[in-house]
Amino acid sequence: MKLRQKVIFLAITPLILALCAIALAVRHQSVLLAQQQRETIQQAYLSSKEAELKHYVALASHSIAHLYDSGRNDEATRQEAMRILGSLSYGDDGYFFLYDMQGNTLMHPRQPELVGQNLFGLRDEHGQPTIQNLLQRARAGGGLERYMWVKPSTQKPVAKLGYVIAMPKWGWMMGTGIYLDDVDQALAKVDVQQSRNIHSTMLWIAGIAIAAAVAVASSGLALNISELRVADAKLKVLAQRVVESQEEERARLSRDLHDGISQWLVSIKLQIEAGIIRLTSGLSSGKPEQQQAAQAVFEHAADQLSNVMAEVRRISHNLRPAILDDLGLAAALHHLAKEYTLSSGTPVNFEASGRTDELPDVANTVLFRLAQEALTNIERHAGASSIGITLSGEAEGVTLRIRDDGRGFDAEGIALHPQRGIGLRNMMERMDAIGGRFEILSSTGGTIVTAYAANNS
């Protein structure tokens, strides 16, 4: 996987994980809220039905109150009360029923086949004694009771909520009830709607996650394209600078060879030829002064050959000092400081401390070139009277610091100028190439150049 792909992956993955966590939290809270809402609706619905049942029983009690409170307990009076209660109904499955306290069915409008039967031992499909529980509730003062009963409209046993009261003067239990399958259907609709809402919320979150991932990926792609273009532009500029540096180095070598070594060699050639002529004429004429003059010419030519050899060594040292490979960075910088002092007349104080021999070869070369460039800039522009070079080594890396007491300059302005500051940019780019740090501070009191290279660079 490429670096760009890794960056995009690392950017998208936390986003997707965060959205997934949000989705799970939202789903959990939605399910919990749906359960709480269902329980609230169920409780409110059942409370309304319970109040409704109480009103129905109260209405039925009032409808036969004139008979029940008359004090008569004959068969005709009870039959009239049964007739009135049997005529009261509310819907297909809403009716009143009567039992005596022994569990005998006295009236059941929707199931007349039960009339006259003793249902005291009747148990529902869950094994609960239905009539016994109703009678116990009635004897306790009346109230609500849940049980299973066959629904007249469907002929299937469903849960039922009944409300019963005792009529002790006649030994009756009167009650009514509502079937709870209607409540379950209403709650099922609520559950379906809540499930749809949760599903819709999850789809919205998934859509947002996909849109966010696409946006991050698109932004990352656009950024990569932009960075690639910038990198290509920088690479072209760097390649151009490399070519220019090569051409400048070739021009400098050409000048050194033409103005120095070439002229010296021509002079030596002429002197050797003149010496040969004088030596030949002296030998043929037997004049010793001609031989002495020829000897002086050859000695002068030998001195110039020594100068040529020194110039060759200087050029070779500037290209790549052998001492850098043989004795290390500290020795090479010390030699560079001495050569600069001899060539410019400006004293250079060099100090080295710590372990400075653990850097890779490429880092040693970069720091040496940086010191060369800094000294060249000081000689050309600073007008310094003294220069100090310190090289300090630590466990993590090596720090090179070059300071002078010259006139200083605007470091930021020079570095950003398109035609100037090539040397500074070269230093910065050399240090960036090895992952080092470069810093330059300049004022009217002088300039300090600091470079740091890690041992593993």
Side-chain angles (χ1 to χ4, degrees):
M1 185 181 292
K2 297 181 179 179
L3 179 60
R4 296 172 189 153
Q5 296 173 343
K6 290 180 180 179
V7 171
I8 295 176
F9 177 76
L10 292 176
I12 293 178
T13 301
L15 177 63
I16 298 299
L17 292 177
L19 289 174
C20 290
I22 292 174
L24 292 176
V26 170
R27 180 176 178 81
H28 174 72
Q29 293 297 325
S30 298
V31 171
L32 183 61
L33 180 62
Q35 292 176 350
Q36 293 175 349
Q37 185 178 4
R38 188 181 191 279
E39 292 173 358
T40 301
I41 294 174
Q42 184 179 19
Q43 185 177 1
Y45 196 80
L46 291 178
S47 298
S48 65
K49 292 300 182 181
E50 291 171 0
E52 185 178 351
L53 287 176
K54 293 179 181 179
H55 294 158
Y56 286 154
V57 172
L59 179 62
S61 299
H62 288 306
S63 65
I64 61 172
H66 64 287
L67 298 175
Y68 186 74
D69 295 335
S70 65
R72 291 177 294 177
N73 193 15
D74 55 277
E75 184 65 21
T77 302
R78 289 196 297 271
Q79 288 295 327
E80 178 62 18
M82 291 181 189
R83 185 189 66 78
I84 295 174
L85 293 175
S87 63
L88 297 178
S89 64
Y90 46 95
D92 295 336
D93 300 311
Y95 55 89
F96 292 90
F97 54 82
L98 287 174
Y99 289 86
D100 62 17
M101 291 302 177
Q102 287 74 39
N104 295 306
T105 306
L106 301 178
M107 183 194 73
H108 204 295
R110 297 295 186 271
Q111 293 177 290
E113 66 275 7
L114 298 179
V115 175
Q117 295 186 24
N118 188 292
L119 303 180
F120 187 82
L122 178 67
R123 293 180 178 271
D124 60 17
E125 58 187 17
H126 300 300
Q128 298 296 322
T130 304
I131 304 302
Q132 293 180 30
N133 291 339
L134 290 174
L135 292 173
Q136 185 177 359
R137 180 68 64 181
R139 292 191 184 98
L144 297 166
E145 185 71 26
R146 286 175 177 263
Y147 57 96
M148 299 294 294
W149 199 262
V150 176
K151 187 176 182 179
S153 60
T154 61
Q155 294 299 313
K156 294 180 180 180
V158 296
K160 185 176 183 180
L161 179 64
Y163 189 88
V164 293
I165 60 172
M167 303 181 71
K169 293 182 180 180
W170 292 348
W172 287 359
M173 176 189 70
M174 181 185 69
T176 186
I178 57 171
Y179 293 93
L180 298 179
D181 58 339
D182 295 337
V183 179
D184 294 336
Q185 291 176 2
L187 293 176
K189 292 180 180 179
V190 173
D191 292 339
V192 171
Q193 185 62 40
Q194 289 173 342
S195 178
R196 290 176 180 174
N197 292 338
I198 294 174
H199 182 69
S200 176
T201 302
M202 294 299 104
L203 290 179
W204 273 104
I205 294 177
I208 293 173
I210 294 173
V214 171
V216 171
S218 301
S219 301
L221 181 61
L223 181 62
N224 284 334
I225 294 175
S226 175
E227 290 295 327
L228 183 60
R229 291 176 179 174
V230 173
D232 289 340
K234 289 182 178 180
L235 185 60
K236 291 179 181 178
V237 173
L238 182 60
Q240 183 65 29
R241 288 180 184 172
V242 170
V243 173
E244 292 175 355
S245 298
Q246 290 176 345
E247 292 300 324
E248 290 177 359
E249 187 67 18
R250 289 174 180 175
R252 186 183 66 81
L253 288 175
S254 177
R255 288 193 302 268
D256 290 342
L257 293 174
H258 180 271
D259 298 340
I261 295 176
S262 178
Q263 293 181 3
W264 275 339
L265 290 176
V266 171
S267 176
I268 292 170
K269 176 179 178 295
L270 293 175
Q271 292 178 23
I272 291 174
E273 290 176 350
I276 292 173
I277 293 172
R278 290 184 179 183
L279 182 61
T280 303
S281 62
L283 291 175
S284 61
S285 62
K287 295 180 179 180
E289 62 271 11
Q290 291 291 336
Q291 295 179 4
Q292 293 176 357
Q295 181 180 356
V297 170
F298 286 132
E299 290 177 352
H300 187 264
D303 291 337
Q304 287 190 325
L305 279 175
S306 297
N307 293 333
V308 170
M309 292 172 64
E311 183 68 12
V312 170
R313 283 195 300 269
R314 185 187 66 81
I315 294 174
S316 175
H317 183 78
N318 288 336
L319 291 176
R320 174 146 185 110
I323 193 173
L324 182 62
D325 298 323
D326 297 337
L327 300 180
L329 178 61
L333 291 176
H334 185 256
H335 183 73
L336 178 65
K338 289 197 302 182
E339 282 193 344
Y340 183 86
T341 301
L342 293 175
S343 63
S344 66
T346 304
V348 179
N349 180 35
F350 174 76
E351 296 179 358
S353 61
R355 297 186 60 84
T356 61
D357 55 353
E358 298 182 357
L359 286 176
D361 292 340
V362 64
N364 285 329
T365 302
V366 168
L367 291 180
F368 182 80
R369 295 301 183 197
L370 188 143
Q372 279 185 316
E373 186 71 33
L375 291 177
T376 301
N377 290 337
I378 292 172
E379 183 179 7
R380 291 178 180 176
H381 310 293
S385 60
S386 66
I387 303 171
I389 301 177
T390 59
L391 185 69
S392 58
E394 300 175 353
E396 295 80 10
V398 175
T399 301
L400 172 66
R401 184 173 288 104
I402 304 170
R403 64 185 183 280
D404 66 79
D405 58 357
R407 65 177 62 93
F409 63 98
D410 182 8
E412 294 183 1
I414 292 294
L416 296 176
H417 197 280
Q419 278 81 34
R420 303 173 63 188
I422 296 178
L424 288 179
R425 287 195 292 272
N426 286 339
M427 290 191 229
M428 296 177 185
E429 290 169 358
R430 285 178 185 271
M431 294 306 299
D432 287 340
I434 63 172
R437 296 195 301 268
F438 179 82
E439 180 180 334
I440 182 167
L441 299 175
S442 185
S443 64
T444 56
T447 302
I448 300 176
V449 175
T450 304
Y452 172 82
N455 288 330
N456 58 356
S457 58

